[in-house]
Amino acid sequence: QVQLVESGGGSVQAGGSLRLSCAVSGSGRIFSINAMGWYRQAPGKQRELVAGVTSGGNTNYADSVKGRFTISTDNAKNTVYLQMNSLKPEDTAVYYCDAHISLFMGLTGGPPVSYWGQGTQVTVSS
């Protein structure tokens, strides 16, 4: 069973920092992790992409977080991080981790499937 376990959310004042972590378990079944990302959903709003990273190391960010947030990975630990600096009240949301994972099918990998974490609350007060 593949699971994504998030940690690191919490409450912080504007201008502060938080670091989110998302660890992928079930490595025995995983052929490859093709991409990972962080999304967020604020009350009454649609879920939006915050940052993403491919297995090749290419990153992309939402315009609203460029220069403030940094996504990184530890491939040995199958973990993705989101360092969030200069936080603003508008960053308040539930943050979700997403991973595109190919599982073993025989000796090769199957088509990638999107797995989601349970979400972690980030609250930024002014």
Side-chain angles (χ1 to χ4, degrees), residues 6 20 36-52 60-66 68-69 71 82 84 87-98 100 116 119-120 122:
E6 301 161 3
L20 305 182
M36 301 187 78
W38 288 96
Y39 289 73
R40 67 187 180 187
Q41 187 167 20
K45 295 187 177 181
Q46 290 188 330
R47 189 173 298 190
E48 63 174 356
L49 174 67
V50 176
N60 64 293
Y61 296 91
D63 288 342
S64 59
V65 307
K66 284 180 180 177
R68 300 188 297 122
F69 291 9
I71 189 170
L82 185 68
M84 304 185 294
L87 282 161
K88 304 175 181 180
E90 52 263 44
D91 295 318
T92 295
V94 178
Y95 284 69
Y96 296 91
C97 172
D98 167 58
H100 293 186
W116 291 89
T120 186
V122 171

Side-chain angles (χ1 to χ4, degrees), residues 69-87:
F69 291 9
T70 302
I71 189 170
S72 62
T73 58
D74 183 334
N75 294 329
K77 297 181 179 180
N78 285 344
T79 299
V80 62
Y81 305 96
L82 185 68
Q83 178 66 44
M84 304 185 294
N85 298 329
S86 302
L87 282 161

Side-chain angles (χ1 to χ4, degrees), residues 2-13:
V2 174
Q3 289 185 319
L4 275 60
V5 180
E6 301 161 3
S7 61
S11 297
V12 66
Q13 289 191 329

